[in-house]
Amino acid sequence: MANPVPAPAALTARDLHIHLADLLILDHEDLVIREGERVAVVGRNGCGKSTVLKVLAGVENFFTGELALRRGLRAAYLPQEVVLDPARTVRECILDGAAEVCELLHQYEGRKPGDAAATAALEARIEHLGGWLLNQRIEELSSALRTPPLDRLAGTLSGGEQRRVGICRTLIGQPDVLLLDEPTNHLDTETIEWLETYLSRYRGTCLFVTHDRSFLDRVASRVLELAQGHFYSSDGNYTEFLKNKAKREEVAEQNEARRLSFIRREIDWIRRGPKARGTKSRDRIQRFEAAVNQADLEREKDVELIVPPASRLAVRVVEIKNLTVELGGRTLIRDFSFSFEPGMCIGVVGRNGAGKTSLLRAVLGDLSPTQGEIVVGPRTEFNYADQHRVVLHDDKTVFEEIGEGKDYVILGGQRLALWTYLKRFLFTDDEVQTLIGQLSGGERSRLVLAKILLRGGNFLLLDEPTNDLDLSTLRILEEGLSQFAGCSLVVSHDRFFLNRICTGILGFEEDGTVRYEPGDYDYFAAKRRERANAIQAEAKPKAEVPVMKAKPATRKLKWSEERELEGMEEQILEAEAEVERLEGVFAKPDFFSVHGHETTELSQQLETARAEVSRLYARWEELEAIRDGRASSQS
């Protein structure tokens, strides 16, 4: 079978070299992005992903080499930090992304009569760009992304609201090529899922940077890893990339082992000083010198993150009783009760502004409830990382910021040298004495994490802890939280993160209801879909039963069906007993301390058992209908 013809190139880079100060970002690399591809760029914080995207988008020009967008294609760029004109309305800011269409419509409205050819050409171009439906697209996009009202001034918007408007501005012109830098930042899970669907159906080409692994898995058709100045391409989504990277690293380790083994074998012969008179001797010496001069294999270093061990919690950790919180005339939390137990890691999800952060503040005692009370156990010690993180002082060094006048830190009751602690977060000796104002975004994120974890505590309250962390650091943070013996309450839109760490999910709904589901985010989302489908089914009008002209012939039970019906009651009793057993496991007071690590598996078993009971009852009714002559011979 012949290989399929590759799609035309949409974006091409030849011999692209990007060097900023002491950082080599790209070392004479070639890159081809083909039409229809959805390419994700991944890599450690500070490796230059955003810089590469800016160069490809034409925003920055500090590079050498050739860069070309195929003629006739239109590109749109979403920066990591969206900047809007504060004096313009939301509608005007969005329409900036459709400037060409707006100009064509303006020309059409001011056209002079009599020039039919020019008018026809103008109409054709507007039709090609979808200009006649521009207002409809604004309504659809602003509704899907839940932007602020279109007549609001941009200067009154929060960072998250500006982000939504920025995405609308990027998508409104229906460009051929999208370049998106962290498109999921500041978005809730519902909006992220909408964006995933949009990009999966998008017919153009997309190049994006994100740390959202669920987004990567569901959108990317190819992954480019940026590391040590080179691109490493992997077809498929993020899961396929991880498999391919593991194979690539295994091959690299094998090659390095062979090189070192060759040097060890040859070094005695070289030391004996052979006279390189013959061709074979000269070739042998050249091979040895080439092996010695080859750079050592560069291995990625991971953050050695250790969440300080939690002090023992009392039986009562935190108990929420009939909590109601009202702010600004809105009911954010309505009559919510919940008891935290040791070992719980509870994720909090919901739309932006729903009240997730308010719940954390109420638990801490920073926000007084309208009704209800929160009882904190005698041994509970909170460690809170808020949404805006810890304030770092740009005029201090890394050493001064963490040490606060000391050359050691206390971690889990043990004294540790400050230099050793900072090396766990990948700060080199030189970087330890660097001013914080000179750190990259990724280095600042690692420093904030290092400062937060020093506080200790046995009840962690984390508000969007995954923001700005690279994929390797996220993985290690997940491992640390999974092994944490205390309690955790985590607000996050990162579904992959929630699936890895959570024993339960609190979901905020529109009317202030906070709904709890045991298990991970995927289980919570499945139950939410079930409820939505049930509500939709109830609201749907029942179809009228058609009048049958003639009653069809009935059929009798087959011998095998008679035997099946005889044993059906016993099967149902056994299936109901299994459901009762599993529900009893969840109801035990020590469930999370004993079975916390099995929550997802037990939840799936319970769902399977309940589904089996439903299936058996349906089959029982079907067989009885046949036996009683209520089923036709065609059924």
Side-chain angles (χ1 to χ4, degrees), residues 146-289:
R146 296 199 299 279
T147 65
L150 297 175
D151 58 353
R152 262 185 69 181
L153 289 176
T156 67
L157 306 182
S158 67
E161 290 172 329
Q162 289 191 49
R163 188 75 179 167
R164 293 169 183 271
V165 174
I167 296 174
C168 275
R169 181 178 64 182
T170 307
L171 301 180
I172 190 66
Q174 295 182 312
D176 305 295
V177 179
L178 285 171
L179 300 108
L180 309 175
D181 197 351
E182 296 290 0
T184 65
N185 274 6
H186 305 296
L187 299 184
D188 53 54
T189 52
E190 187 176 334
T191 308
I192 293 172
E193 287 169 357
W194 175 87
L195 187 58
E196 285 174 350
T197 303
Y198 181 94
L199 292 177
S200 297
R201 298 172 179 173
Y202 172 62
R203 294 182 179 179
T205 306
C206 183
L207 186 69
F208 62 95
V209 172
T210 185
H211 293 144
D212 188 320
R213 289 156 295 179
S214 294
F215 191 87
L216 283 166
D217 254 347
R218 295 172 186 176
V219 176
S221 61
R222 180 157 67 104
V223 176
L224 283 176
E225 183 183 19
L226 178 58
Q228 287 124 30
H230 300 287
F231 279 133
Y232 298 93
S233 179
S234 171
D235 290 335
N237 62 11
Y238 182 66
T239 300
E240 289 300 314
F241 157 74
L242 290 177
K243 294 176 183 177
N244 293 335
K245 181 178 180 180
K247 293 177 183 176
R248 189 181 78 227
E249 290 178 342
E250 182 181 358
V251 170
E253 289 286 354
Q254 291 171 352
N255 291 338
E256 178 71 355
R258 281 195 289 268
R259 182 181 75 91
L260 296 177
S261 177
F262 172 75
I263 292 173
R264 285 192 296 270
R265 288 197 311 270
E266 294 293 279
I267 195 166
D268 289 338
W269 180 78
I270 292 293
R271 284 173 176 169
R272 289 198 299 270
K275 296 179 181 180
R277 294 178 181 174
T279 303
K280 290 184 179 180
S281 295
R282 286 197 299 271
D283 289 344
R284 189 172 176 181
I285 292 173
Q286 288 172 358
R287 287 196 302 272
F288 175 81
E289 290 175 344

Side-chain angles (χ1 to χ4, degrees), residues 82 95 113 234 404 447 530 534 557 564:
V82 173
L95 285 175
S234 171
E404 297 180 347
L447 186 61
E530 286 180 14
L557 286 174
E564 184 182 358

Side-chain angles (χ1 to χ4, degrees), residues 335-348:
D335 195 25
F336 172 59
S337 298
F338 190 77
S339 293
F340 289 91
E341 299 172 10
M344 275 187 168
C345 183
I346 303 299
V348 185

Side-chain angles (χ1 to χ4, degrees), residues 53-68:
L53 216 60
K54 288 177 182 177
V55 168
L56 296 178
V59 175
E60 301 286 1
N61 59 5
F62 42 80
F63 68 93
T64 60
E66 299 177 6
L67 185 60

Side-chain angles (χ1 to χ4, degrees), residues 436-455:
I436 290 172
Q438 298 175 2
L439 298 180
S440 68
E443 290 166 339
R444 292 177 72 95
S445 297
R446 294 202 306 272
L447 186 61
V448 166
L449 194 58
K451 194 166 185 177
I452 289 170
L453 293 177
L454 272 180
R455 297 173 181 168

Side-chain angles (χ1 to χ4, degrees), residues 553-590:
T554 58
R555 76 172 181 89
K556 296 181 179 180
L557 286 174
K558 300 175 183 177
W559 182 86
S560 60
E561 290 174 334
E562 289 179 354
R563 304 287 79 76
E564 184 182 358
L565 181 58
E566 288 174 2
M568 190 64 70
E569 186 173 357
E570 184 178 350
Q571 290 184 53
I572 290 175
L573 289 173
E574 290 177 356
E576 288 180 334
E578 177 64 8
V579 170
E580 187 176 351
R581 183 188 71 80
L582 290 168
E583 288 177 341
V585 173
F586 278 98
K588 289 180 180 179
D590 61 350

Side-chain angles (χ1 to χ4, degrees), residues 90 144 217 483 498 621 625:
V90 169
D217 254 347
Q483 297 168 9
L498 294 173
E621 291 177 2

